[in-house]
Amino acid sequence: MTLSACRAPTLQRHKQMTSQELFDLLGKSFGDKIRRKTEFRETTFTIAADDLREIANFCRDELSFDYLLDITSIDNFGEEPRFEIVYHLYSMPHGVHLRLKLKVPDESGTVDTVSDIWPTANWHEREAYDMTGIKFNGHPDLRRILMWEGYPYFPLRKDFPLEGLPSEMPDIAFTKVTPMEGGPFVTVPSTAGSKDREPRARSPEL
Amino acid sequence: MSQSHVARQLSLEFAGWSFSAALDVVSWSYYQLRVQPAILTSNMAEQRATAYDSKIEGNVIFTRLDAALNWVRKNSLWPMPMGLACCAIELMATAASRFDIARFGAEVMRFSPRQCDVMIVAGTVTYKMALAVKRIYEQMPEPKWVIAMGACASTGGMYRSYATLQGIDQLIAVDVYISGCPPRPEALLAGLMKLQEKISRERSLRNQKPELAERLEKALP
Protein backbone atom coordinates (compact mmCIF):
# COMPACT_ATOMS: atom_id res chain seq x y z
CA MET A 1 0.00 0.00 0.00
CA THR A 2 1.41 3.36 -0.90
CA LEU A 3 1.61 6.20 1.54
CA SER A 4 -1.03 8.25 -0.28
CA ALA A 5 -3.53 5.40 0.01
CA CYS A 6 -3.07 5.44 3.80
CA ARG A 7 -3.97 9.09 4.15
CA ALA A 8 -7.06 10.10 6.01
CA PRO A 9 -10.01 11.30 3.84
CA THR A 10 -9.67 14.93 4.95
CA LEU A 11 -6.11 15.00 3.74
CA GLN A 12 -7.02 13.66 0.30
CA ARG A 13 -9.36 16.57 -0.34
CA HIS A 14 -6.47 18.83 -1.18
CA LYS A 15 -4.12 18.55 -4.03
CA GLN A 16 -0.63 18.28 -2.56
CA MET A 17 1.07 21.66 -3.01
CA THR A 18 4.66 22.67 -2.57
CA SER A 19 5.63 25.42 -0.20
CA GLN A 20 6.50 27.60 -3.19
CA GLU A 21 3.00 27.26 -4.64
CA LEU A 22 1.42 28.02 -1.28
CA PHE A 23 3.51 31.12 -0.65
CA ASP A 24 2.99 32.40 -4.20
CA LEU A 25 -0.75 32.04 -3.72
CA LEU A 26 -0.57 33.92 -0.43
CA GLY A 27 1.54 36.68 -1.96
CA LYS A 28 -0.75 37.01 -4.97
CA SER A 29 -3.90 37.17 -2.85
CA PHE A 30 -2.70 39.83 -0.46
CA GLY A 31 -0.08 41.70 -2.47
CA ASP A 32 0.86 44.86 -0.64
CA LYS A 33 -0.61 43.63 2.65
CA ILE A 34 2.48 41.43 2.90
CA ARG A 35 5.04 43.85 4.29
CA ARG A 36 7.99 41.58 3.96
CA LYS A 37 8.80 37.98 3.10
CA THR A 38 11.84 36.45 4.80
CA GLU A 39 13.37 33.11 3.88
CA PHE A 40 15.58 31.51 6.48
CA ARG A 41 15.07 27.75 6.12
CA GLU A 42 11.42 28.49 6.79
CA THR A 43 9.37 31.35 5.43
CA THR A 44 8.16 34.31 7.44
CA PHE A 45 5.58 36.81 6.26
CA THR A 46 5.50 40.14 8.07
CA ILE A 47 2.02 41.64 8.10
CA ALA A 48 0.12 44.47 9.76
CA ALA A 49 -1.85 43.83 12.92
CA ASP A 50 -5.06 45.00 11.23
CA ASP A 51 -4.80 42.37 8.48
CA LEU A 52 -4.19 39.48 10.83
CA ARG A 53 -7.63 37.91 10.91
CA GLU A 54 -8.15 38.18 7.16
CA ILE A 55 -4.82 36.55 6.38
CA ALA A 56 -5.21 33.96 9.15
CA ASN A 57 -8.59 32.91 7.78
CA PHE A 58 -7.16 32.65 4.27
CA CYS A 59 -4.22 30.59 5.52
CA ARG A 60 -6.48 28.15 7.29
CA ASP A 61 -9.29 27.82 4.73
CA GLU A 62 -7.58 28.26 1.37
CA LEU A 63 -4.03 27.14 2.07
CA SER A 64 -5.00 24.53 4.70
CA PHE A 65 -2.64 25.70 7.41
CA ASP A 66 -4.82 23.82 9.84
CA TYR A 67 -2.41 23.63 12.75
CA LEU A 68 -1.24 26.53 14.90
CA LEU A 69 1.95 25.26 16.49
CA ASP A 70 2.66 28.17 18.80
CA ILE A 71 2.33 31.86 19.42
CA THR A 72 5.48 33.74 20.40
CA SER A 73 5.53 37.20 21.87
CA ILE A 74 8.72 39.26 21.72
CA ASP A 75 9.62 42.33 23.74
CA ASN A 76 11.98 44.56 21.70
CA PHE A 77 12.56 46.86 24.64
CA GLY A 78 13.61 50.36 23.54
CA GLU A 79 12.23 50.01 20.02
CA GLU A 80 9.03 51.41 18.57
CA PRO A 81 6.71 49.58 18.39
CA ARG A 82 7.79 47.52 21.32
CA PHE A 83 6.01 44.17 21.07
CA GLU A 84 6.00 41.64 18.30
CA ILE A 85 3.96 38.48 17.87
CA VAL A 86 4.82 35.44 15.77
CA TYR A 87 2.30 32.81 14.72
CA HIS A 88 3.87 29.46 13.86
CA LEU A 89 1.63 27.63 11.40
CA TYR A 90 1.84 24.16 9.95
CA SER A 91 -0.14 22.56 7.17
CA MET A 92 -0.88 18.91 7.84
CA PRO A 93 -1.92 18.09 4.26
CA HIS A 94 1.02 19.84 2.57
CA GLY A 95 3.66 19.38 5.27
CA VAL A 96 4.69 23.02 5.13
CA HIS A 97 5.66 25.47 7.86
CA LEU A 98 4.77 29.16 7.76
CA ARG A 99 5.35 32.02 10.14
CA LEU A 100 3.24 35.14 10.37
CA LYS A 101 4.87 38.02 12.17
CA LEU A 102 3.42 41.33 13.22
CA LYS A 103 4.21 44.33 15.37
CA VAL A 104 1.74 45.19 18.09
CA PRO A 105 0.68 48.84 17.70
CA ASP A 106 1.98 50.78 20.70
CA GLU A 107 -1.02 53.09 21.01
CA SER A 108 -3.53 50.27 21.59
CA GLY A 109 -1.25 47.46 22.78
CA THR A 110 -3.79 45.02 21.41
CA VAL A 111 -4.11 42.46 18.62
CA ASP A 112 -7.20 40.67 17.35
CA THR A 113 -7.63 37.17 18.71
CA VAL A 114 -7.28 34.11 16.48
CA SER A 115 -8.75 31.79 19.10
CA ASP A 116 -11.91 31.32 17.00
CA ILE A 117 -9.82 30.42 13.94
CA TRP A 118 -7.48 28.02 15.77
CA PRO A 119 -9.00 27.10 19.16
CA THR A 120 -5.54 26.20 20.46
CA ALA A 121 -4.73 29.91 20.40
CA ASN A 122 -6.94 30.43 23.44
CA TRP A 123 -4.31 29.39 25.98
CA HIS A 124 -1.38 30.65 23.92
CA GLU A 125 -2.87 34.12 23.89
CA ARG A 126 -3.56 33.92 27.60
CA GLU A 127 0.09 33.06 28.16
CA ALA A 128 1.27 35.93 25.97
CA TYR A 129 -1.01 38.25 27.93
CA ASP A 130 0.21 36.87 31.25
CA MET A 131 3.90 37.24 30.46
CA THR A 132 4.05 40.44 28.39
CA GLY A 133 0.72 42.19 28.89
CA ILE A 134 -0.36 42.19 25.22
CA LYS A 135 -4.14 42.18 25.06
CA PHE A 136 -6.17 40.25 22.51
CA ASN A 137 -9.41 41.76 21.19
CA GLY A 138 -12.32 39.36 21.21
CA HIS A 139 -10.63 36.69 23.32
CA PRO A 140 -13.39 34.79 25.15
CA ASP A 141 -11.53 34.45 28.47
CA LEU A 142 -8.46 36.66 28.72
CA ARG A 143 -7.19 35.80 32.21
CA ARG A 144 -3.70 35.09 33.45
CA ILE A 145 -2.75 31.45 32.99
CA LEU A 146 0.57 30.92 34.81
CA MET A 147 0.62 33.66 37.41
CA TRP A 148 -2.40 34.25 39.62
CA GLU A 149 -5.17 36.78 39.08
CA GLY A 150 -4.08 39.99 40.72
CA TYR A 151 -0.32 39.57 40.24
CA PRO A 152 0.68 43.13 39.38
CA TYR A 153 3.55 42.63 36.89
CA PHE A 154 4.27 41.11 33.48
CA PRO A 155 7.37 39.07 34.22
CA LEU A 156 8.76 38.41 30.74
CA ARG A 157 9.02 42.09 29.86
CA LYS A 158 12.63 43.12 29.44
CA ASP A 159 12.34 45.85 32.07
CA PHE A 160 11.22 43.31 34.67
CA PRO A 161 14.16 42.14 36.81
CA LEU A 162 15.04 38.44 36.75
CA GLU A 163 14.98 38.29 40.55
CA GLY A 164 11.39 39.51 40.59
CA LEU A 165 9.60 42.19 42.56
CA PRO A 166 7.78 41.86 45.86
CA SER A 167 4.02 41.45 45.76
CA GLU A 168 1.39 40.38 48.24
CA MET A 169 -2.13 39.00 47.94
CA PRO A 170 -3.22 37.82 51.38
CA ASP A 171 -4.19 34.12 51.46
CA ILE A 172 -3.56 33.73 47.74
CA ALA A 173 0.09 34.27 46.94
CA PHE A 174 3.08 36.45 47.59
CA THR A 175 6.45 36.99 45.95
CA LYS A 176 9.79 38.15 47.26
CA VAL A 177 12.95 39.37 45.59
CA THR A 178 15.25 36.42 44.96
CA PRO A 179 18.87 36.70 46.12
CA MET A 180 21.10 36.51 43.07
CA GLU A 181 24.53 36.05 44.69
CA GLY A 182 26.53 33.37 42.95
CA GLY A 183 24.28 33.37 39.92
CA PRO A 184 22.94 33.28 37.35
CA PHE A 185 24.62 30.19 36.01
CA VAL A 186 25.84 30.65 32.47
CA THR A 187 27.90 28.63 30.06
CA VAL A 188 30.48 29.89 27.58
CA PRO A 189 30.18 28.73 23.99
CA SER A 190 33.54 27.36 22.93
CA THR A 191 35.27 24.25 21.71
CA ALA A 192 36.74 23.66 25.17
CA GLY A 193 36.08 20.51 27.11
CA SER A 194 32.89 19.87 28.99
CA LYS A 195 34.58 20.87 32.25
CA ASP A 196 35.04 24.44 30.98
CA ARG A 197 31.67 24.63 29.31
CA GLU A 198 29.87 23.53 32.45
CA PRO A 199 27.33 26.18 33.54
CA ARG A 200 28.82 28.15 36.44
CA ALA A 201 28.27 31.38 38.25
CA ARG A 202 30.05 33.86 36.03
CA SER A 203 29.91 37.58 35.65
CA PRO A 204 27.39 38.58 32.97
CA GLU A 205 30.10 39.94 30.63
CA LEU A 206 31.54 36.48 30.02
CA MET B 1 -21.18 -11.28 105.14
CA SER B 2 -22.84 -11.97 101.87
CA GLN B 3 -20.99 -12.33 98.64
CA SER B 4 -22.20 -8.99 97.33
CA HIS B 5 -20.83 -7.26 100.43
CA VAL B 6 -17.41 -8.76 99.83
CA ALA B 7 -17.49 -7.68 96.24
CA ARG B 8 -18.45 -4.12 97.17
CA GLN B 9 -15.78 -3.88 99.81
CA LEU B 10 -13.17 -5.17 97.38
CA SER B 11 -14.18 -2.73 94.72
CA LEU B 12 -14.07 0.13 97.22
CA GLU B 13 -10.64 -0.90 98.32
CA PHE B 14 -9.53 -1.17 94.73
CA ALA B 15 -10.92 2.29 94.03
CA GLY B 16 -9.07 3.65 97.06
CA TRP B 17 -5.89 2.04 95.84
CA SER B 18 -6.26 3.39 92.37
CA PHE B 19 -6.41 7.00 93.46
CA SER B 20 -3.26 7.21 95.53
CA ALA B 21 -1.20 4.29 94.36
CA ALA B 22 -1.74 4.86 90.66
CA LEU B 23 -0.30 8.33 90.96
CA ASP B 24 2.65 6.82 92.81
CA VAL B 25 3.23 4.36 90.01
CA VAL B 26 3.01 7.02 87.34
CA SER B 27 5.29 9.43 89.14
CA TRP B 28 7.75 6.66 89.89
CA SER B 29 7.80 5.76 86.19
CA TYR B 30 8.35 9.36 85.28
CA TYR B 31 11.16 9.58 87.82
CA GLN B 32 12.79 6.59 86.13
CA LEU B 33 12.17 8.24 82.81
CA ARG B 34 13.87 11.41 83.91
CA VAL B 35 16.91 10.00 85.62
CA GLN B 36 17.68 6.99 83.46
CA PRO B 37 19.19 7.83 80.09
CA ALA B 38 18.76 4.42 78.48
CA ILE B 39 16.08 1.78 78.22
CA LEU B 40 15.64 0.14 81.60
CA THR B 41 14.77 -3.37 82.33
CA SER B 42 15.07 -4.88 85.72
CA ASN B 43 17.94 -7.31 85.64
CA MET B 44 18.33 -6.78 81.93
CA ALA B 45 20.80 -9.52 81.01
CA GLU B 46 18.71 -12.17 82.63
CA GLN B 47 15.51 -10.93 81.03
CA ARG B 48 16.89 -10.67 77.55
CA ALA B 49 17.35 -14.39 77.11
CA THR B 50 13.73 -15.07 77.89
CA ALA B 51 11.98 -11.88 76.89
CA TYR B 52 10.05 -13.42 74.02
CA ASP B 53 9.60 -16.84 75.49
CA SER B 54 5.95 -17.65 75.03
CA LYS B 55 5.77 -19.21 78.50
CA ILE B 56 6.43 -15.87 80.14
CA GLU B 57 4.73 -13.66 77.62
CA GLY B 58 3.25 -10.67 79.32
CA ASN B 59 6.43 -10.03 81.24
CA VAL B 60 6.78 -6.41 82.22
CA ILE B 61 9.41 -4.39 80.36
CA PHE B 62 10.44 -1.11 81.89
CA THR B 63 11.33 1.71 79.59
CA ARG B 64 11.14 5.45 79.36
CA LEU B 65 7.78 6.72 78.20
CA ASP B 66 9.45 8.95 75.60
CA ALA B 67 11.47 6.04 74.27
CA ALA B 68 8.36 3.94 73.83
CA LEU B 69 6.40 6.77 72.21
CA ASN B 70 9.22 7.69 69.87
CA TRP B 71 9.84 4.08 68.95
CA VAL B 72 6.23 3.73 67.90
CA ARG B 73 6.25 6.99 65.98
CA LYS B 74 9.49 6.62 64.09
CA ASN B 75 8.70 3.17 62.76
CA SER B 76 5.35 4.12 61.34
CA LEU B 77 5.80 7.47 59.62
CA TRP B 78 2.98 8.03 57.19
CA PRO B 79 4.19 10.39 54.47
CA MET B 80 2.29 13.15 52.77
CA PRO B 81 3.71 12.98 49.24
CA MET B 82 3.93 16.64 48.24
CA GLY B 83 5.20 15.90 44.74
CA LEU B 84 5.72 19.13 42.83
CA ALA B 85 8.37 18.34 40.22
CA CYS B 86 10.88 15.72 39.08
CA CYS B 87 11.81 14.82 42.68
CA ALA B 88 8.37 13.26 42.88
CA ILE B 89 9.49 10.66 40.33
CA GLU B 90 12.33 9.64 42.64
CA LEU B 91 9.88 9.66 45.54
CA MET B 92 7.70 7.22 43.63
CA ALA B 93 10.73 5.08 42.86
CA THR B 94 11.59 5.08 46.56
CA ALA B 95 8.13 3.80 47.35
CA ALA B 96 8.24 1.14 44.65
CA SER B 97 9.66 -2.36 44.85
CA ARG B 98 13.32 -1.76 44.04
CA PHE B 99 13.98 0.59 46.97
CA ASP B 100 10.89 -0.18 49.03
CA ILE B 101 10.34 2.50 51.64
CA ALA B 102 8.18 -0.07 53.46
CA ARG B 103 11.38 -1.42 54.97
CA PHE B 104 11.36 1.70 57.14
CA GLY B 105 7.67 1.67 57.91
CA ALA B 106 6.88 4.68 55.74
CA GLU B 107 5.07 3.03 52.87
CA VAL B 108 1.61 4.35 53.71
CA MET B 109 1.42 7.38 51.43
CA ARG B 110 -1.66 9.31 52.44
CA PHE B 111 -3.25 11.80 50.13
CA SER B 112 -5.21 13.30 52.99
CA PRO B 113 -3.16 15.52 55.28
CA ARG B 114 -5.31 14.48 58.23
CA GLN B 115 -3.67 11.07 58.28
CA CYS B 116 -0.05 12.09 57.76
CA ASP B 117 2.99 12.37 59.98
CA VAL B 118 5.71 13.58 57.63
CA MET B 119 5.40 15.81 54.60
CA ILE B 120 7.95 15.08 51.90
CA VAL B 121 8.21 18.28 49.86
CA ALA B 122 9.52 16.85 46.60
CA GLY B 123 10.13 19.50 44.00
CA THR B 124 10.08 23.15 43.07
CA VAL B 125 7.75 25.24 45.19
CA THR B 126 6.41 28.10 43.10
CA TYR B 127 4.91 31.12 44.77
CA LYS B 128 1.57 30.11 43.29
CA MET B 129 1.79 26.76 45.11
CA ALA B 130 3.52 27.98 48.27
CA LEU B 131 0.50 28.90 50.35
CA ALA B 132 -1.27 25.70 49.32
CA VAL B 133 1.69 23.69 50.64
CA LYS B 134 1.57 25.64 53.88
CA ARG B 135 -2.15 25.07 54.20
CA ILE B 136 -1.78 21.32 53.73
CA TYR B 137 0.97 21.32 56.33
CA GLU B 138 -1.30 23.12 58.76
CA GLN B 139 -4.00 20.50 58.19
CA MET B 140 -1.69 17.71 59.31
CA PRO B 141 -2.19 16.67 62.94
CA GLU B 142 0.60 16.97 65.51
CA PRO B 143 3.18 15.58 65.82
CA LYS B 144 4.40 16.29 62.30
CA TRP B 145 7.69 16.54 60.49
CA VAL B 146 8.90 17.87 57.14
CA ILE B 147 11.52 16.56 54.74
CA ALA B 148 12.72 19.05 52.11
CA MET B 149 13.67 16.74 49.27
CA GLY B 150 16.14 18.07 46.73
CA ALA B 151 17.76 21.38 45.93
CA CYS B 152 14.57 23.19 44.93
CA ALA B 153 12.57 22.42 48.05
CA SER B 154 15.60 23.24 50.21
CA THR B 155 16.80 26.49 48.62
CA GLY B 156 14.97 27.12 45.36
CA GLY B 157 17.77 25.26 43.59
CA MET B 158 18.61 26.46 40.12
CA TYR B 159 15.42 28.49 39.92
CA ARG B 160 16.57 31.93 40.92
CA SER B 161 13.60 33.66 39.45
CA TYR B 162 10.52 35.70 40.13
CA ALA B 163 8.31 32.61 40.27
CA THR B 164 10.06 30.29 42.72
CA LEU B 165 10.01 30.28 46.51
CA GLN B 166 13.63 30.11 47.65
CA GLY B 167 13.22 27.12 49.95
CA ILE B 168 10.13 25.78 51.70
CA ASP B 169 11.74 26.59 55.07
CA GLN B 170 10.67 30.18 54.49
CA LEU B 171 7.11 29.04 55.19
CA ILE B 172 7.24 25.91 57.34
CA ALA B 173 9.78 24.35 59.70
CA VAL B 174 11.92 21.72 57.99
CA ASP B 175 13.46 18.78 59.87
CA VAL B 176 15.63 17.17 57.21
CA TYR B 177 17.13 18.65 54.05
CA ILE B 178 18.22 16.31 51.27
CA SER B 179 20.68 17.53 48.66
CA GLY B 180 20.55 16.40 45.05
CA CYS B 181 18.83 17.36 41.85
CA PRO B 182 16.96 15.12 42.15
CA PRO B 183 18.29 13.03 45.05
CA ARG B 184 18.55 9.31 44.42
CA PRO B 185 16.11 7.08 46.31
CA GLU B 186 18.96 6.00 48.58
CA ALA B 187 19.40 9.63 49.60
CA LEU B 188 15.71 9.92 50.46
CA LEU B 189 15.94 6.74 52.52
CA ALA B 190 19.01 8.12 54.29
CA GLY B 191 17.05 11.29 55.00
CA LEU B 192 14.20 9.25 56.37
CA MET B 193 16.62 7.38 58.66
CA LYS B 194 18.03 10.70 59.85
CA LEU B 195 14.50 11.80 60.65
CA GLN B 196 13.94 8.57 62.56
CA GLU B 197 17.06 9.27 64.60
CA LYS B 198 15.82 12.75 65.28
CA ILE B 199 12.41 11.49 66.37
CA SER B 200 13.97 8.95 68.72
CA ARG B 201 15.76 11.78 70.53
CA GLU B 202 12.63 13.89 70.98
CA ARG B 203 11.14 14.65 74.42
CA SER B 204 7.68 13.75 73.26
CA LEU B 205 5.75 13.94 76.53
CA ARG B 206 7.11 17.36 77.41
CA ASN B 207 6.49 18.62 73.86
CA GLN B 208 2.99 17.31 73.48
CA LYS B 209 1.65 17.38 77.06
CA PRO B 210 3.54 20.13 78.90
CA GLU B 211 0.93 20.46 81.68
CA LEU B 212 0.95 16.74 82.43
CA ALA B 213 4.74 16.67 82.49
CA GLU B 214 4.73 19.58 84.90
CA ARG B 215 2.20 17.94 87.21
CA LEU B 216 4.17 14.73 87.25
CA GLU B 217 7.34 16.60 88.03
CA LYS B 218 5.70 18.35 91.00
CA ALA B 219 4.42 15.01 92.27
CA LEU B 220 7.93 13.58 92.38
CA PRO B 221 9.45 12.91 95.78
Side-chain angles (χ1 to χ4, degrees):
Chain A
M1 200 190 273
T2 61
L3 186 65
S4 59
C6 302
R7 286 221 169 97
T10 50
L11 302 186
Q12 286 175 349
R13 225 171 44 206
H14 308 273
K15 179 178 151 287
Q16 185 91 18
M17 291 167 82
T18 64
S19 57
Q20 201 54 54
E21 288 169 325
L22 286 166
F23 299 149
D24 285 348
L25 194 54
L26 184 63
K28 213 161 46 181
S29 306
F30 287 96
D32 55 346
K33 285 186 178 172
I34 308 289
R35 300 280 176 84
R36 196 166 74 235
K37 182 183 171 194
T38 320
E39 302 264 4
F40 184 71
R41 300 200 183 105
E42 284 162 17
T43 305
T44 305
F45 286 89
T46 309
I47 59 174
D50 292 340
D51 304 327
L52 170 67
R53 286 185 58 83
E54 196 187 346
I55 292 172
N57 267 314
F58 183 84
C59 286
R60 189 194 64 174
D61 297 335
E62 308 300 324
L63 306 180
S64 38
F65 282 98
D66 47 3
Y67 185 23
L68 177 67
L69 289 164
D70 201 1
I71 296 178
T72 315
S73 54
I74 306 165
D75 180 4
N76 298 308
F77 184 59
E79 283 178 29
E80 297 281 335
R82 180 173 171 181
F83 294 106
E84 221 173 341
I85 297 191
V86 190
Y87 297 84
H88 304 259
L89 305 179
Y90 182 72
S91 168
M92 295 276 191
H94 305 308
V96 174
H97 286 274
L98 166 66
R99 288 202 191 94
L100 297 177
K101 204 168 182 179
L102 58 87
K103 300 259 188 188
V104 182
D106 264 347
E107 53 274 22
S108 64
T110 59
V111 192
D112 289 336
T113 183
V114 292
S115 58
D116 52 334
I117 301 169
W118 295 284
T120 189
N122 189 316
W123 281 19
H124 286 143
E125 288 177 351
R126 279 179 65 186
E127 189 188 359
Y129 164 68
D130 192 359
M131 292 289 121
T132 58
I134 300 166
K135 291 201 172 66
F136 293 87
N137 295 325
H139 191 284
D141 181 28
L142 194 63
R143 286 178 296 134
R144 284 180 179 274
I145 193 168
L146 297 170
M147 308 305 277
W148 47 98
E149 279 298 293
Y151 180 68
Y153 309 109
F154 298 108
L156 284 197
R157 287 187 173 183
K158 293 295 177 194
D159 52 355
F160 183 85
L162 178 62
E163 62 266 33
L165 292 167
S167 73
E168 174 78 51
M169 281 194 73
D171 297 332
I172 295 179
F174 70 95
T175 55
K176 285 189 199 166
V177 175
T178 297
M180 299 300 275
E181 299 90 56
F185 297 91
V186 292
T187 185
V188 178
S190 75
T191 52
S194 58
K195 197 177 151 214
D196 295 317
R197 282 186 287 114
E198 173 111 335
R200 293 176 199 286
R202 295 186 167 97
S203 60
E205 302 86 62
L206 280 175
Chain B
M1 202 183 277
S2 71
Q3 244 182 347
S4 64
H5 274 115
V6 175
R8 195 182 302 150
Q9 186 132 10
L10 272 176
S11 72
L12 276 173
E13 274 172 17
F14 184 75
W17 180 84
S18 67
F19 267 100
S20 57
L23 187 62
D24 283 349
V25 169
V26 171
S27 45
W28 180 80
S29 322
Y30 188 70
Y31 175 74
Q32 294 291 323
L33 168 169
R34 213 181 54 150
V35 295
Q36 298 294 336
I39 291 180
L40 264 185
T41 64
S42 59
N43 211 350
M44 206 168 177
E46 196 184 307
Q47 292 269 326
R48 190 176 283 156
T50 54
Y52 293 101
D53 189 333
S54 60
K55 282 180 196 158
I56 50 166
E57 245 179 17
N59 240 354
V60 175
I61 296 176
F62 288 98
T63 179
R64 291 181 300 140
L65 184 57
D66 274 359
L69 274 177
N70 293 340
W71 177 76
V72 170
R73 281 176 180 170
K74 76 171 190 173
N75 288 303
S76 151
L77 283 169
W78 290 17
M80 168 84 228
M82 182 54 67
L84 300 170
C86 30
C87 280
I89 307 296
E90 298 299 301
L91 173 60
M92 286 185 267
T94 314
S97 52
R98 189 182 178 96
F99 298 99
D100 193 13
I101 205 170
R103 293 178 295 153
F104 305 92
E107 75 276 22
V108 194
M109 301 273 175
R110 292 285 113 163
F111 293 89
S112 157
R114 314 272 182 209
Q115 301 170 350
C116 295
D117 302 309
V118 53
M119 181 153 86
I120 302 176
V121 184
T124 318
V125 188
T126 59
Y127 283 115
K128 197 174 180 178
M129 191 66 191
L131 293 186
V133 174
K134 188 181 182 208
R135 187 168 179 170
I136 289 169
Y137 173 75
E138 282 164 356
Q139 286 171 345
M140 287 165 58
E142 296 270 0
K144 53 192 172 183
W145 299 273
V146 175
I147 295 176
M149 179 183 178
C152 292
S154 303
T155 67
M158 65 176 185
Y159 296 104
R160 296 188 175 212
S161 86
Y162 63 93
T164 308
L165 182 70
Q166 301 295 302
I168 190 63
D169 53 1
Q170 301 205 0
L171 281 183
I172 58 183
V174 174
D175 294 284
V176 176
Y177 298 87
I178 302 171
S179 63
C181 184
R184 281 195 56 85
E186 292 94 327
L188 178 58
L189 291 177
L192 185 72
M193 288 157 79
K194 283 272 180 225
L195 181 62
Q196 288 182 327
E197 280 169 32
K198 185 177 176 178
I199 291 171
S200 63
R201 290 195 306 268
E202 273 180 7
R203 307 185 72 185
S204 304
L205 188 69
R206 188 182 296 277
N207 292 346
Q208 251 90 54
K209 301 273 181 207
E211 305 87 5
L212 178 63
E214 205 174 308
R215 264 175 56 205
L216 287 172
E217 222 154 55
K218 274 186 193 151
L220 280 177

